[in-house]
Amino acid sequence: MGDLQIFPWALMSAYVLLISALGISTWRLIYGPSLFDRVVAMDLISAVVMCIAAVFALETQNPVFLEISVAIAVVTFLGTIAFARYLEDEEEE
């Protein structure tokens, strides 16, 4: 029973750390000095949102939120590939 008492504290600390990471990466997205910094910040924001959905799935014991994480990962991957293709085309010109 001792392990179950620490679970709410672990969830709360995970939320606090993830929200702070979200805030820092949002700051980098807004004030990033280059376009590359902003793209990396967007990737980080999507990874943090996936982690928040996974922690919420643990908290609610609902696996649907894990599927949401997978969908976010696929969309983020496609966006990163599209941005890399855009930069490659821009370099050739």
Side-chain angles (χ1 to χ4, degrees), residues 29-78:
L29 177 69
I30 294 170
Y31 298 110
S34 70
L35 185 61
F36 297 110
D37 289 332
R38 290 186 170 101
V39 170
V40 170
M42 278 301 296
D43 284 341
L44 181 60
I45 287 171
S46 65
V48 169
V49 168
M50 288 186 308
C51 290
I52 289 172
V55 170
F56 191 70
L58 280 173
E59 183 179 16
T60 61
Q61 298 178 355
N62 191 354
V64 172
F65 294 105
L66 295 176
E67 295 173 8
I68 291 171
S69 291
V70 171
I72 292 171
V74 168
V75 170
T76 301
F77 174 72
L78 292 175

Side-chain angles (χ1 to χ4, degrees), residues 12-36:
M12 187 56 65
S13 62
Y15 280 131
V16 166
L17 291 173
L18 288 170
I19 295 299
S20 63
L22 188 65
I24 292 169
S25 57
T26 302
W27 183 84
R28 176 54 69 185
L29 177 69
I30 294 170
Y31 298 110
S34 70
L35 185 61
F36 297 110

